[in-house]
Amino acid sequence: ANTAAAAAAAAGCVGGLRELPEEYPEKSVDWDTMRSWLDSNQLLYEFNRTSSTDWSGLEFKIAKCLAEGGFSEESISKALNRLSANSKWHSRGQSYQQRTVRKAVLAACDDEYVDFSKSDDMGASKASESRKTESGSEGTRQEGGDNNMPEFTEKETVQVKEGSSDGDRAIEAVKVEGKDGSDTFEFVSIRKGRVQTVELTSGEEGQMIDIDETNGKSVGGTADLELVIEALEELNEEIN
């Protein structure tokens, strides 16, 4: 009997992590539901990233957000399977994947702002209460919460690389939308990066741009973008 109990306990654990609490809903949902949930929590853009300086942190953040919706571990894993081939999720194997999801679910269960008893009433289109307490996400979004700080959300991204060899320079231009109370504003930010060769899950090699997301520089509002481009082109002509 003791052997059977130990086996059952082991089956509920993942990589030494405790089993799921009974109160966790474990709702099986489809991708459209999870996509809407990520979008309502302003994480869909980050989900669609093709490069990151911290894949582990990004994957955990996305998994925890989905866990705050009470979605099953299997559903969360299926969602993360849609991440970029450059992600750590695709390169580290099943053990890493299981631990990432289990740790995220346990973190959601331990989060005082998450109330699964209300999850059925919230609907997939509503943001998690836990999201409202966050103060940033890998440099891509800062949320004001109770601090009355402006919110910033990246909307569109364009990457241009110098060449196709490792170490070649790359530039990422990002359209950023900011909200300060009732005022909305837009600007363009520039970040530097380098071309990097990575191994894909298929065993083949692919390329990504490793962007320094912590070192972005604003080049002004979107209304002035054409003037900024013209000024830079003229400056480039004078320099060269």
Side-chain angles (χ1 to χ4, degrees):
N2 290 337
T3 302
C13 295
V14 170
L17 299 172
R18 71 181 191 272
E19 58 185 313
L20 296 183
E22 292 183 359
E23 67 268 20
Y24 188 66
E26 273 282 292
K27 295 185 294 185
S28 295
V29 294
D30 57 20
W31 165 240
D32 286 340
T33 299
M34 291 184 286
R35 185 183 186 281
S36 296
W37 179 263
L38 289 170
D39 191 29
S40 66
N41 284 282
Q42 275 111 28
L43 283 181
L44 189 57
Y45 169 80
E46 294 199 57
F47 184 91
N48 291 327
R49 281 186 176 277
T50 57
S51 65
S52 175
T53 57
D54 181 16
W55 276 116
S56 295
L58 178 62
E59 290 159 6
F60 176 81
K61 178 172 57 181
I62 290 171
K64 181 176 181 288
C65 177
L66 293 170
E68 289 166 8
F71 306 142
S72 69
E73 289 184 298
E74 181 181 4
S75 296
I76 295 173
S77 293
K78 287 181 178 179
L80 294 179
N81 284 339
R82 294 172 175 265
L83 286 169
S84 166
N86 298 329
S87 66
K88 186 176 288 187
W89 176 265
H90 290 296
S91 65
R92 288 293 298 275
Q94 186 177 28
S95 177
Y96 169 83
Q97 294 174 355
Q98 290 177 335
R99 282 182 56 82
T100 297
V101 174
R102 178 59 60 89
K103 287 169 66 177
V105 172
L106 293 175
C109 292
D110 294 338
D111 191 328
E112 62 178 316
Y113 292 97
V114 177
D115 186 354
F116 297 119
S117 67
K118 297 180 181 179
S119 61
D120 290 335
D121 299 327
M122 289 172 65
S125 62
K126 287 193 175 182
S128 166
E129 287 296 316
S130 180
R131 293 295 105 197
K132 299 176 183 178
T133 69
E134 293 191 354
S135 58
S137 55
E138 207 188 18
T140 63
R141 186 174 194 275
Q142 296 179 347
E143 190 166 14
D146 296 329
N147 297 321
N148 295 319
M149 295 291 290
E151 300 176 3
F152 300 101
T153 306
E154 295 178 5
K155 291 294 188 179
E156 299 175 39
T157 301
V158 174
Q159 293 179 331
V160 179
K161 56 185 180 179
E162 181 183 43
S164 57
S165 301
D166 279 8
D168 283 345
R169 294 175 301 173
I171 292 290
E172 180 178 74
V174 187
K175 174 187 172 185
V176 181
E177 180 182 276
K179 290 191 67 176
D180 189 358
S182 59
D183 296 327
T184 300
F185 53 93
E186 295 179 336
F187 63 93
V188 175
S189 180
I190 298 292
R191 296 190 288 235
K192 297 180 180 180
R194 296 282 179 179
V195 175
Q196 181 180 353
T197 300
V198 296
E199 183 176 348
L200 305 177
T201 53
S202 62
E204 299 178 351
E205 288 188 343
Q207 286 191 331
M208 60 172 283
I209 299 178
D210 186 15
I211 294 293
D212 181 4
E213 298 167 358
T214 64
N215 191 24
K217 303 293 183 182
S218 172
V219 296
T222 54
D224 301 323
L225 186 57
E226 290 186 3
L227 288 175
V228 171
I229 293 172
E230 184 177 347
L232 290 174
E233 287 177 344
E234 292 184 8
L235 180 60
N236 183 56
E237 290 179 2
E238 291 186 14
I239 293 174
N240 296 314

